[in-house]
Amino acid sequence: MLIEAKNISVMRQGQPILDAVSLGVGERDFTTIIGPNGAGKSMLLKCLLGIEKPSDGVVSRAGGLRIGYVPQSLVPDHTLPITTRRFLTLKKKYNEASLQAVAQETDITSILNKPLHVLSGGELQRALLARALMDAPQLLVLDEPAQNLDISGQLRFYKLLEDIFAGRGLSILMVSHDLHMVMASTKRVVCLYRHICCAGAPHAVTQDPEFIALFGADMARMMAVYHHEHTHTHDHDHGHHEGCDHG
């Protein structure tokens, strides 16, 4: 495992945020955490990254693990102008060749000299992704990376993630609300609502009663049809399904 949580629980101001959650991300893994607002998804990421400390349980990381992190959003301050190039290289060890390679990979070469605050939503998200890739991470962690993008921007961003996953040989752990995109891209889906309700390959999770209870039968049917149609042209992993047995 690159990173693993074992039975972590989080209480804040007397309220349960996470309850006995266990989750591991191994090499060449692409896992997406889904769930309604207030489910504890971002808190789980923060615990895994060491930003927050769980009230109970243990988080472990592989020695020397390099993690790249893409936050939900960034609002650049126009009163402190900084170019995209400067943003990418702040507190980073790099050379020009590696910078250009990452810029080309994320399609931001043309905006390297633009001020960060004038970038479009899609450009800014790709710049955040590029910065996360500068240290050649073994694990890329993304928290709702496409929430502020229109549908075409979402499609472009998730296609870029698929290409990076395929080309770099890294692992990806992501929180997302974009269920239709998740079903197309992800190897494993974890459905969270303070505890893990169900987990497994996307096509299996959509049939789980816990998924249907959280997102509704119509959404489950739509996701199942979407995945079925998608696999006519793309060969995705159909791994086993891991359900939970709580009442």
Side-chain angles (χ1 to χ4, degrees), residues 82-94 116 131 134-135:
I82 180 175
T83 65
T84 304
R85 173 189 289 271
R86 181 62 179 143
F87 172 71
L88 294 187
T89 58
L90 278 173
K91 296 185 178 180
K92 299 282 186 182
K93 294 180 179 179
Y94 75 100
L116 203 62
R131 178 171 167 80
M134 286 291 289
D135 295 325

Side-chain angles (χ1 to χ4, degrees), residues 2-3 25-26 28-32 45 49 65-71 105-106 125 128-143 145 157 160-165 168-175:
L2 297 178
I3 196 166
V25 180
R28 295 290 297 154
D29 199 355
F30 193 151
T31 296
T32 301
L45 284 193
L49 293 171
L65 179 64
R66 299 186 307 277
I67 300 175
Y69 175 60
V70 179
E105 181 181 18
T106 53
Q125 284 308 104
L128 288 169
L129 178 58
R131 178 171 167 80
L133 294 172
M134 286 291 289
D135 295 325
Q138 298 159 282
L139 174 64
L140 181 61
V141 179
L142 307 100
D143 190 358
F157 189 85
L160 178 57
L161 274 188
E162 287 185 31
D163 291 343
I164 288 169
F165 175 71
R168 280 187 171 247
L170 46 60
S171 293
I172 294 177
L173 176 63
M174 176 171 63
V175 164

